[in-house]
Amino acid sequence: MQQSRLDKFFTIKKSATTSKLADNNDDDGSTDTTTTSNEQTKKRLLTNDNENNKKLKRVKSDLSTVNSNENSQSTENTETNFSLNQFYLDKFLLILSSLLKHHKCLFNENELILFDKFQTLSASSQIIFVRLLMRRCKWLRRSTINYEISDISNDTDNLISLVQIGLLQDISSLDDLDAGLRLLTSDEMRDFSKRFHCQSKTNKSKKTSIENLKSLTNQYKSMFGSTTATNRDHLLLKELKRIIINCYKISEDIRGLFFRMMLTYHPVALLAMDDLDQNGFTLLYKTLQIIRGQLRLPWNEDQISHEHLPFKTPEQLQLYQKAIDLQTEYHQLEESKNLDDLIHFYETYNEQWREMIDSSSENEQLPGYFRRFSPDYVRARILSHLTEVLQRARRYDEAIELIQYLLSRTMYNRYRRGKLWNRLALMQENYVKPNGHQQCLNTIQEALQDPYVTLGDRLGLCERARKLFSRPKSKGILLATWITDEEDNLMWTVPQPKEIEVTGRLLANDARMGKVTYTIQDPVDGSIQFCNVEQLAIHHYRTEEDYTYGIHSEGAVIRTLIGLLFLDLIYILPTPDLLIDIFQTEPLDFQTDAFYKSRKSQIDERISQLNSEENIEEIAEKNWEMYNLTMSSVVNWELFQTKTTLLSALKCLTPEQIQSMSIYTFVHNRAAWKGFPDLFVWNPIAKKCKFVEVKSHNDRLSFHQLVWLDKLVEFKIDCEVCKVSANGAKKLMQRTSSTIELD
C-alpha cells in the first residue's frame, strides 16, 4: 500500500494545462493556445548553459536524466547524474535532520537506531538507497542498479552494507515465484521454459511463459513427485536463483518508515496529491523547480510551525498512516471496478471503523482544518464513498443505514453532507416500500435545515421535494406543509438561464468511435481545422459575436481573476498553526468557513478598495509582480500568457461585478467553485465579456451549474448556455449504434 503512494510521490511528471486561449489578433488567424508547461519544462531541461554550470552544479540535469530514458556513458552525463544524485541525497538528509530535530518523538527506538546506522554509511551507499527508494517497490536485478556515481569503485560493497543494516533485502529473501520469474529476460525465460518443457509453441511471450510455469504442477505431477504448490514454488525458485545470482528490494517496512517521514515533513502537500494530481508535479521535482527559479514558495522556512504538527505520538502517526494506506487500497479497488472486492472491503472494515469513530473523543477538541489529519476523518471519508458502492450493489437498506450513521456524525464529511442527503432521499423515494415517499420528504425537510448543505445540493433537494409532492398520486397522502409554507422559507428555485444553439460539422469517423471532433473553417485563410466542442463554441463567439479571446477553464479563470486581487491577504497567517508544510499552497483554513471569519476585516476592506478600474489594475499588477509563479491553488499562472492579457480580462468586468463576485466566493468559499461555466470569452477593446456553459442538445444542467448561472445574472454579468448540435447528426446516428456524446 505504501508502494503506490511512494510511486506517486517520486514518479516525475510534467504539468500540462488544459486551458485554451483563442486570440483574434494572431497573424495567421488561428486559435492561440496557452503554451503548456510541458513544453516549457522540456526546453528548460534541454538547456545547457555553460555560464551557469558552477552555480547549478548540484542540480544540473538534462531531459535524459529526469526521465531516465537515456543511458549515455559520456563524461558530461556522468557529472550530471552525480549532481542529481547528490541533490536527492541532500534533500533526503535535510528531511531526516529536520525530523530528528523537531519530531524525534514520532519515531520509536528501533527506527531511530536505523536512522543512525544510515547516517554512518558512505555517501555512495546513501545515494544508492535514496535512488532505490525513488523506484518502484519491486525486486531489481543487480545489473539494473546502475547509477553513474564518480566516486564509487564497487557498487556491490555498497549494496551489501545496505543489506547488513536491514535497509535492503537480497536474493535470500526472495520467496515470490511470480516476482522471480519477472526478473528473467526474454532469452532467459525462453531457456527456462524449455528446460521444464512448458514453452508454448504458438505464443512465446514472456507473460505466457510465466503462466505456463506457474501451472507446471498440473501438467507434470510426476516431475517433482509432489502436487503441492509450495513444493513447486520452492523448486522453481531454487532454479531461478541460480540464474538471477542476486537481486535487491526495499522491504515494505522500510518503505512504510520512509512514507511516515514524508508524511511528517510534508503532511499537507503529500496528501493534496490525491485530489490535485492533475497538476502533474511531484514534490521532489518541485524542489528542483524552486532551486532553478521556475517556481516560488509563498512562505519562508522560519514561518513553519513545527510544534503544531497534528501528530503527537508514534502511535498517532502510525494509525494515520494505516488509514491513508487503506484509503489508497480503496481507490485501487475502485479503479479496478470489481464490485465484489469493494463489498468485501466494506464488510471487512465497516463495523471496526464505526467502533473507532464512536470511541474517539479527541477530534472534538481539534479545529476543523486539523481534523482532516486524524485517522477517523479518513475512515469516515472512505465510508461515505462506500455508500455509493452499496447502492450499486443494490444493498439499499445497508446504504441507507450507513448514510444515516454518517449524517449523525457532524464532525466529518461536512462538505459531502449535501451529496449524502441527496443520495438518501433518492433511495428512500425509489427503493423503500412502504412509506418511502413520506420518508423522502421528511429527509429533505431535515436536510434543508442543515447549515452545511451547499446551494447546489439544496436546490436539488428542493426540486426533488417539489416534483414528489406535486404528483397526482401524492395528493392527500403525503404530509409536507413546509413545501408551500412561505414562513418556513425552506423551498428555493431558480429561473432557467438564457440558451443559444450552435451547430458544427461532426466527423463521421469519430461518430463511430464515440469521440467528438468538429471541423471549423478559419475566417482568415479559409483552412479547415479540427476542434472539440468547447473550441467550436469559442469559434462561434469569436466569429459571430466579436469576442476576440476565449478560455476553456471552467472555474480556474474566475479563481485566478478574483484570487489575484486577494492573494496577499490569502497568505496572511492569523495563527502560526496554519502553516505546517513549506509546500502548502494555502493556509490550512483556506477551504473552511474559518478563513473568511478570521480575516473578515481585511477582506472587506479590500473589497471596498475595488471600487474603480484604477484600483483594481493597481492591486492586480502589485500582486502579479510580487507573487508571479508562486505555488498557488487559487491562481493559475499559466492561464493567461501575459500580465497584459490578464489585465485586459479584468477590465471587461465592472468594479461592482468584481465586488459582488468577491463577496460571494469568500462567503461560500469551497462550495462556490463547483459548477462554474465552462468558457470565458471577452473583448478588451469593447470591454465586454461572457461566461458560457457548453452542453449538447440533450444534456441537462446540474443544480450547481444552475446556481452559478443564476448568481451571474444577479451580479449583472452576461452568461448563457450554448447548446451544441452536429450537422447531419441524425444521419450519422442511423449508421452506427454508438452514442455521440458532446459533453
Side-chain angles (χ1 to χ4, degrees), residues 643-661:
K643 177 179 66 176
T644 303
T645 308
L646 183 143
L647 293 176
S648 72
L650 272 175
K651 290 178 180 178
C652 295
L653 293 166
T654 66
E656 293 77 14
Q657 291 170 342
I658 292 176
Q659 287 177 323
S660 299
M661 291 281 290

Side-chain angles (χ1 to χ4, degrees), residues 701-718:
L701 292 166
S702 72
F703 293 111
H704 293 282
Q705 291 168 344
L706 284 170
V707 169
W708 253 121
L709 290 169
D710 180 63
K711 287 297 177 183
L712 291 173
V713 172
E714 181 183 326
F715 301 150
K716 298 180 180 180
I717 301 175
D718 196 7

Side-chain angles (χ1 to χ4, degrees), residues 10-76:
F10 282 115
T11 302
I12 295 179
K13 307 175 184 176
K14 300 180 182 65
S15 171
T17 180
T18 58
S19 304
K20 307 301 180 182
L21 181 62
D23 186 355
N24 193 38
N25 298 324
D26 192 19
D27 293 338
D28 60 359
S30 61
T31 301
D32 291 339
T33 57
T34 303
T35 304
T36 63
S37 62
N38 186 24
E39 296 172 350
Q40 295 173 352
T41 303
K42 184 175 180 180
K43 290 179 181 178
R44 289 180 180 127
L45 294 175
L46 289 172
T47 301
N48 292 319
D49 190 350
N50 295 328
E51 296 178 359
N52 293 328
N53 281 345
K54 293 182 179 180
K55 294 182 180 179
L56 301 178
K57 181 179 180 181
R58 302 186 68 180
V59 296
K60 175 183 174 185
S61 64
D62 55 16
L63 186 61
S64 63
T65 305
V66 175
N67 291 328
S68 299
N69 290 329
E70 297 182 5
N71 294 318
S72 175
Q73 300 299 319
S74 64
T75 303
E76 180 180 356

Side-chain angles (χ1 to χ4, degrees), residues 505-518 726-742:
R505 184 170 296 278
L506 185 68
L507 293 180
N509 291 339
D510 286 354
R512 291 188 176 90
M513 297 293 293
K515 299 179 181 179
V516 181
T517 302
Y518 291 90
N727 291 332
K730 292 184 178 179
K731 294 181 179 179
L732 291 174
M733 290 298 293
Q734 292 174 358
R735 300 177 192 172
T736 176
S737 59
S738 302
T739 301
I740 305 175
E741 296 194 10
L742 299 178

Side-chain angles (χ1 to χ4, degrees), residues 106-124:
L106 295 179
F107 300 92
N108 60 41
E109 184 178 353
N110 292 332
E111 292 169 343
L112 294 175
I113 292 174
L114 194 61
F115 292 154
D116 292 338
K117 290 181 178 179
F118 174 81
Q119 291 176 315
T120 61
L121 292 172
S122 65
S124 302

Side-chain angles (χ1 to χ4, degrees), residues 25 32 118 166-167 207 288 389 396 399 478 506 531 599 610 620 630 644 661 664 686 696 727:
N25 298 324
D32 291 339
F118 174 81
L167 290 175
K207 182 178 179 181
L288 279 172
V389 173
Y396 302 117
L478 299 181
L506 185 68
C531 67
R599 302 165 179 80
L610 303 176
T630 298
T644 303
M661 291 281 290
Y664 179 75
S696 71
N727 291 332

